[in-house]
């Protein structure tokens, strides 16, 4: 098998900078220059996500899926895996920005998403990868380096890994779109909301402050803006669904 670093040594790929901005680090450009530094940054984030627990909003969405079954689709920008840990099904959960606990081959030799190996752990900000961890972050099929399963700033959505077409199809046929805590800063969520509005869906935006989606909802024939916390609002909406059978 080939080395995941090619002819480069560790000293060549670790960039000794004190801090990185997400817009700089979360790019294919940075990964192509410093793959281990990018992996180290994401393993720090993975450690933070691994210590988090699903909240009341996550659990309400699990109950909604159990209630509506095949009529339910969850489109999430979160990469923290909390929806799946809470109990939503992978089949009905479209992780349109990826999942930090998965890794594909960086060379795209396969479309397979592999779980992070058990021997790879979360990192502190100043902690480098060990040689054993570097060896584990390789593609089982070709032996090349893997990458975090995250949509980067200089990449585009696709169907295979980010459910682009599936999200748009779900939006076009939905009767109700609930938008939760989203600022409207990325492309696909905006397309989903606009398509659902054009299709005549009821739009409900839940957010603690006004945003582009609240304006879109209030401009629709059937739209609502709930200016409150997501957990509280989702529990109340779930209670209404249950009362109506």
């Amino acid at each position: 098998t080939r080395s995941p670093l090619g002819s480069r040594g560790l000293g060549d790929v670790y960039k000794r900078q004190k801090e990185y901005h997400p817009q700089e680090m979360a790019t294919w450009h940075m990964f192509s220059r410093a793959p281990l530094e990018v992996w180290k940054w994401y393993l720090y984030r993975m450690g933070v996500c691994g210590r988090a627990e699903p909240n009341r909003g996550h659990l309400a969405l699990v109950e909604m899926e159990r209630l509506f079954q095949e009529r339910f689709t969850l489109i999430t920008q979160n990469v923290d895996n909390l929806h799946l840990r809470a109990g939503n099904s992978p089949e009905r959960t479209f992780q349109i920005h990826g999942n930090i606990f998965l890794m594909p081959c960086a060379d795209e030799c396969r479309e397979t998403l592999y779980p992070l190996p058990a021997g790879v752990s979360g990192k502190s900000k100043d902690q480098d990868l060990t040689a054993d961890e570097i060896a584990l972050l390789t593609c089982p099929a070709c032996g090349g380096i893997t990458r975090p399963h995250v949509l980067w700033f200089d990449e585009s959505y696709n169907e295979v890994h980010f459910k682009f077409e599936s999200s748009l199809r779900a939006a076009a046929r939905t009767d109700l779109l609930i938008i939760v805590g989203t600022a409207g800063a990325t492309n696909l969520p905006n397309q989903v909301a606009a398509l659902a509005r054009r299709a005549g869906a009821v739009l409900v935006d839940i957010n603690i402050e006004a945003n582009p989606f609240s304006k879109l909802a209030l401009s629709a024939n059937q739209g609502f803006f709930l200016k409150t916390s997501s957990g509280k609002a989702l529990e109340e909406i779930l209670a209404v669904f249950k009362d109506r059978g």
Side-chain angles (χ1 to χ4, degrees):
T1 59
R2 59 190 172 92
S3 165
L5 305 179
S7 61
R8 294 171 292 177
L10 295 183
D12 297 320
V13 293
Y14 274 124
K15 304 298 182 182
R16 301 298 181 180
Q17 297 182 25
K18 291 183 179 180
E19 294 291 339
Y20 289 104
H21 297 292
Q23 291 84 352
E24 177 187 13
M25 183 61 75
T27 63
W28 173 259
H29 176 71
M30 176 62 83
F31 184 81
S32 67
R33 293 171 48 218
L36 297 188
E37 190 69 10
V38 172
W39 260 121
K40 185 176 75 171
W41 191 72
Y42 274 99
L43 289 176
Y44 166 72
R45 298 183 70 199
M46 185 197 78
V48 173
C49 292
R51 292 189 293 273
E53 293 295 332
N55 60 36
R56 55 197 287 202
H58 293 104
L59 299 178
L61 290 170
V62 173
E63 288 298 313
M64 287 184 192
E65 180 175 356
R66 290 173 181 163
L67 184 65
F68 291 106
Q69 300 182 35
E70 72 278 356
R71 293 180 293 161
F72 177 92
T73 300
L74 172 59
I75 301 173
T76 179
Q77 300 174 80
N78 297 336
V79 300
D80 55 22
N81 198 46
L82 286 174
H83 288 297
L84 300 187
R85 284 178 56 195
N88 285 114
S89 68
E91 298 76 18
R92 299 191 186 108
T93 303
F94 298 168
Q95 299 175 101
I96 62 170
H97 289 170
N99 183 324
I100 204 169
F101 293 91
L102 300 175
M103 59 182 197
C105 176
D107 291 333
E108 300 182 339
C109 79
R110 301 284 192 280
E111 294 179 347
T112 307
L113 294 173
Y114 304 101
L116 280 180
V120 177
S121 60
K123 295 290 179 185
S124 63
K125 286 187 176 181
D126 59 352
Q127 188 178 12
D128 290 340
L129 279 71
T130 67
D132 288 342
E133 288 171 328
I134 293 170
L136 289 171
L137 293 173
T138 55
C139 174
C142 72
I145 193 168
T146 56
R147 53 164 287 177
H149 175 46
V150 176
L151 182 68
W152 286 329
F153 286 105
D154 54 355
E155 294 182 311
S156 300
Y157 292 102
N158 62 58
E159 173 63 19
V160 172
H161 285 156
F162 304 110
K163 298 294 185 181
F164 179 75
E165 287 87 0
S166 294
S167 296
L168 296 180
R169 284 195 296 268
R173 65 173 183 263
T174 192
D175 296 316
L176 170 65
L177 177 66
I178 302 174
I179 306 164
V180 184
T182 300
T186 54
N187 179 266
L188 181 53
N190 284 292
Q191 290 193 55
V192 165
L195 188 55
R197 183 184 184 279
R198 289 198 300 271
V202 176
L203 300 187
V204 179
D205 182 56
I206 303 170
N207 207 312
I208 58 173
E209 58 186 16
N211 65 89
F213 291 120
S214 62
K215 294 177 182 178
L216 184 70
L218 293 175
S219 70
N221 291 332
Q222 302 182 85
F224 306 90
F225 173 37
L226 306 182
K227 193 174 183 180
T228 184
S229 68
S230 59
K232 178 177 183 292
L234 288 171
E235 286 179 337
E236 291 175 350
I237 292 172
L238 175 62
V240 172
F241 290 153
K242 287 183 173 180
D243 287 342
R244 295 187 176 183

